[in-house]
Amino acid sequence: MSLRSKHDGIVQRSYMSLAGRAVAAIALLLFSAAALWAQESAPNNSDTNQRERACHQGENNPAPPPQAESQADKAGAEKKPAEASEDPCALKPQDESEGRQTNRILGVVPNFGAVSANTLLPPLTAKGKFWLATEDSFDYSSFVWTGIISAQEFALNNYPEFGRGGAAYGRYYYHSFVDGVSGTYFTEAIVPWISHEDPRYYTLGHGGFFRRTAYSLSRVVLTKTDSGGTSFNWSEVGGNALEAGLANAYYPPQERGGRQTAINWADQIESAALNNIAKEFWPDIRHFLFRKQ
């Protein structure tokens, strides 16, 4: 390898992976909005706690039995809808938008594998897993996201072997697209089918910021099984290793070999962690940005 190639390789590895950098920007946006939303919601939580304490006190000190009602009062009570009850201890319906995932993040990042909070789903069949990978790979947002990733790689000149100009950008796009498709099928279809794991991300949706962040990071190495249990996430860890190994077949010789494969695998794990954080907090940022005034 020439001196320039060695220098370029060192410079390339000093950067965070492209997918990781792009998702990190989204994650930062999510974090900021989630923090603002938490601050804005704090008074409401205090009011809720006060109501809960009042209800518990009411349970411990029950009110005296009501006096007999007249026929007119009974008739009026029957006409009054249950929803109009002014009982502060009555259960309030939960906002359906809280913890609800969408198929795309900001319209450009595929998010078909994210499950809304407090949602129970039947296990995916083999066909369902391959269809999930197909949606995440060939939705229109996948092509847009690949274009964004390729543009950043092109601007950073991550692979000097691809050259410069329009043809070079095409090479970046082709390699990024193959990376994405192969990685998605390995992690969401092929390996989960073999290991009987659920490749979907189940949103926690409640708890503090650090608890939810820790949960999202743990999902890189832990996942649900088809039987409803929890196991080591072979789909994510092993699937990304297979994708990194497959890249040796279509990347330039300078980007192949065991060491580069290990670096690519680590980049994929990093991207998976950042993606999980983005998925976990996406419902919060979405609710914060697009809620009705």
Side-chain angles (χ1 to χ4, degrees):
M1 184 184 296
S2 66
L3 180 61
R4 182 177 182 278
S5 297
K6 291 181 179 179
H7 174 72
D8 289 339
I10 296 173
V11 172
Q12 291 166 21
R13 296 183 183 96
S14 66
Y15 289 106
M16 181 186 293
S17 67
L18 181 58
R21 290 171 63 90
V23 178
I26 295 176
L28 180 60
L29 177 63
L30 297 175
F31 292 164
S32 301
L36 291 174
W37 178 250
Q39 293 176 2
E40 184 175 307
S41 302
N44 296 332
N45 293 335
S46 178
D47 294 341
T48 301
N49 293 335
Q50 291 178 4
R51 286 195 299 269
E52 290 179 352
R53 285 195 295 268
C55 292
H56 287 306
Q57 291 175 1
E59 292 175 359
N60 297 329
N61 302 288
Q67 298 179 355
E69 298 179 354
S70 64
Q71 294 297 329
D73 292 337
K74 292 181 179 180
E78 291 177 357
K79 293 180 181 179
K80 186 176 181 180
E83 302 83 72
S85 173
E86 297 179 356
D87 181 7
C89 297
L91 294 176
K92 302 298 189 297
Q94 185 179 6
D95 185 356
E96 294 182 357
S97 65
E98 294 182 0
R100 187 166 67 86
Q101 293 284 357
T102 58
N103 289 337
R104 302 167 191 87
I105 296 178
L106 297 176
V108 298
V109 183
N111 192 40
F112 291 89
V115 179
S116 300
N118 304 315
T119 302
L120 297 177
L121 295 177
L124 281 174
T125 62
K127 180 180 179 180
K129 293 173 183 178
F130 278 88
W131 177 245
L132 173 63
T134 301
E135 286 184 309
D136 270 334
S137 297
F138 297 104
D139 180 71
Y140 79 86
S141 59
S142 302
F143 296 95
V144 176
W145 184 237
T146 300
I148 295 173
I149 291 176
S150 303
Q152 187 175 2
E153 284 192 334
F154 177 79
L156 294 174
N157 195 29
N158 278 357
Y159 302 105
E161 302 85 1
F162 291 168
R164 306 300 294 172
Y169 177 77
R171 297 186 190 99
Y172 277 100
Y173 192 97
Y174 152 69
H175 285 80
S176 296
F177 185 76
V178 175
D179 286 346
V181 172
S182 62
T184 300
Y185 272 91
F186 277 130
T187 59
E188 295 185 2
I190 299 174
V191 178
W193 170 52
I194 297 173
S195 61
H196 302 287
E197 294 173 351
D198 192 333
R200 296 170 292 192
Y201 178 83
Y202 285 83
T203 308
L204 182 61
H206 64 272
F209 172 79
F210 292 104
R211 179 186 177 188
R212 294 174 65 185
T213 301
Y215 167 81
S216 61
L217 293 176
S218 71
R219 296 304 96 182
V220 176
V221 293
L222 297 174
T223 190
K224 277 192 171 186
T225 62
D226 290 341
S227 60
T230 302
S231 72
F232 181 78
N233 197 343
W234 292 107
S235 301
E236 195 71 68
V237 177
N240 282 313
L242 292 173
E243 187 276 329
L246 182 63
N248 287 289
Y250 54 88
Y251 268 86
Q254 298 88 337
E255 303 299 330
R256 302 176 186 175
R259 183 172 182 273
Q260 188 59 44
T261 299
I263 293 174
N264 292 341
W265 174 79
D267 287 343
Q268 293 299 323
I269 294 297
E270 176 189 63
S271 296
L274 293 174
N275 274 324
N276 283 354
I277 296 175
K279 291 176 181 179
E280 177 63 34
F281 290 99
W282 166 237
D284 300 82
I285 183 61
R286 175 178 164 274
H287 186 64
F288 177 77
L289 290 178
F290 304 113
R291 72 184 189 278
K292 294 180 179 179
Q293 300 296 328

